[in-house]
Amino acid sequence: ALVTGYRPEHEALEAGLAEFLERDSVVLFSSGFQANLAVATSLAGRNDHIVQDRLCHASLIDGARMSGACLLRYAHGDVMAAERQLARTEGGHTLLVTDGVFSMDGDVAPVARLAKLCAKAGSWMVVDDAHGFGVAGPGGRGIVAEAGLGQDDVPVLVGTLGKACGSAGAFVAGSRELADHLVNEARSYIYTTAMPPAVAAAGLAGLRRLTEDEWRRDKLRELIDLFRAGAESRGWRLLPSDSPIQPLLCESPEATLRLASELRERGFLVVAIRPPTVPAGGARLRITLSAAHEKEHVEQLLEAFAECLDTP
Ligand SMILES: *Cc1c(COP(=O)(O)O)cnc(C)c1O
């Protein structure tokens, strides 16, 4: 990007994202993994602390490790535990880092309460809203906007373009200063090939759909409600997720694999998630709903599940 790779398509996408997210600036990355490495390694170093939810995405964990900062993790979604870890930090500065929507559980981080902690402790809050961007919050602006928080509360907002947006790559949104700092310091921005311009153009087209097609979010909401109501009426073990990620806990990794393959035979792509991707005992099927599905699909999926669960 710094040599010859930054093209008008990138500029247009960065400007579009900044306007949509109500942030001063946006920097594009080739992937979410690289964006998270950039944030951690360029904003924290040896004398600093990174306080992180235990279920944060692997790229946030690796970024924290690479940064050389002291990594303190807290129990998933536990604001009091986060507060205790913040109290242990001294010297340097502190980043508090969380996913917005958690990718394996589908639940949402308590960002409003975490932002209050950060304000009190003088820490910077980083939210990776890869799964909330385009789906959650007012107009699809994500769970940070849903919680009524802006750039002052969450100075570093990460999102990816390979999920709801339907393209690939990622972005970090925040102040002009943050953008300049990333572009000049982040090794995972500087020493890699820029996002291809065609991918940036596809991202901008995706952003247009996200912005204009409110009906897609309405439809998705209906599908989520339909799925949850159907699963709950059958007594299945769902996690408390309000997002399109709907995990169904299974007895064992073997049972999870068996169900996934039986569903596949019936024409449903439902992914088996097993330890170590999730903690021991947490094997699950991850149902991922999309606005491209229809109600009939959800009903057929529920039926297929019922059949597969019945056969020993
Ligand atoms: C998918 C995901 C990433 C990685 O994004 P890529 O563009 O696939 O590298 C990072 N963080 C979270 C929370 C994700 O869900």
Side-chain angles (χ1 to χ4, degrees):
L2 292 183
V3 183
T4 57
Y6 189 83
R7 310 292 305 159
E9 290 80 1
H10 300 102
E11 198 177 349
L13 178 54
E14 286 180 348
L17 286 167
E19 189 189 349
F20 177 63
L21 294 166
E22 297 167 358
R23 294 295 187 277
D24 296 344
S25 293
V26 163
V27 180
L28 294 176
F29 287 82
S30 304
S31 79
F33 209 105
Q34 287 168 311
N36 283 334
L37 294 186
V39 165
T41 58
S42 69
L43 296 179
R46 293 215 177 284
N47 298 316
D48 305 320
H49 291 82
I50 296 183
V51 173
Q52 225 176 58
D53 189 291
R54 202 163 261 294
L55 294 190
C56 271
H57 190 265
S59 56
L60 292 167
I61 299 170
D62 288 5
R65 286 187 182 139
M66 275 173 71
S67 73
C70 173
L71 172 60
L72 300 169
R73 299 170 82 193
Y74 58 87
H76 176 53
D78 187 337
V79 178
M80 306 242 285
E83 187 167 25
R84 285 195 295 276
Q85 293 295 44
L86 280 176
R88 291 176 60 198
T89 64
E90 56 179 43
H93 57 260
T94 301
L95 303 183
L96 186 138
V97 181
T98 182
D99 288 22
V101 176
F102 287 86
S103 50
M104 295 301 145
D105 291 45
D107 59 334
V108 170
V111 284
R113 286 153 70 211
L114 291 170
K116 273 201 189 122
L117 288 185
C118 287
K120 211 168 85 185
S123 313
W124 298 335
M125 185 152 165
V126 178
V127 176
D128 173 359
D129 202 16
H131 285 282
F133 172 72
V135 177
R141 287 195 297 281
I143 64 111
V144 171
E146 184 166 41
L149 303 173
Q151 184 173 302
D152 292 341
D153 312 292
V154 178
V156 186
L157 176 62
V158 182
T160 66
L161 302 169
K163 286 157 189 166
C165 196
S167 177
F171 61 85
V172 179
S175 67
R176 182 74 248 164
E177 256 179 301
L178 172 71
D180 287 343
H181 183 77
L182 289 171
V183 166
N184 287 297
E185 301 287 335
R187 295 167 66 84
S188 63
Y189 181 83
I190 300 167
Y191 300 105
T192 191
T193 304
M195 171 192 285
V199 173
L204 192 58
L207 179 62
R208 214 168 285 134
R209 294 278 63 76
L210 293 182
T211 317
E212 291 170 11
D213 299 354
E214 191 64 41
W215 65 266
R216 293 180 196 269
R217 277 181 289 276
D218 295 341
K219 184 175 173 199
L220 188 54
R221 178 80 263 146
E222 276 177 36
L223 298 177
I224 295 167
D225 292 344
L226 183 67
F227 176 78
R228 285 194 72 85
E232 274 159 9
S233 74
R234 290 167 169 91
W236 297 339
R237 291 163 69 203
L238 289 181
L239 293 179
S241 161
D242 213 24
S243 75
I245 300 169
Q246 291 292 331
L248 187 71
L249 285 177
C250 300
E251 269 159 41
S252 63
E254 296 72 32
T256 316
L257 279 180
R258 178 183 65 84
L259 278 167
S261 95
E262 288 182 12
L263 286 167
R264 206 186 167 103
E265 277 166 26
R266 289 171 164 79
F268 295 95
L269 179 59
V270 176
V271 184
I273 310 272
R274 294 166 295 153
T277 305
V278 289
R284 67 198 61 181
L285 290 170
R286 190 175 74 162
I287 296 110
T288 310
L289 299 169
S290 126
H293 291 132
E294 301 298 340
K295 280 185 181 167
E296 297 77 64
H297 296 137
V298 174
E299 276 151 12
Q300 288 160 7
L301 175 66
L302 288 164
E303 280 305 306
F305 259 127
E307 281 172 31
C308 296
L309 289 168
D310 278 348
T311 37

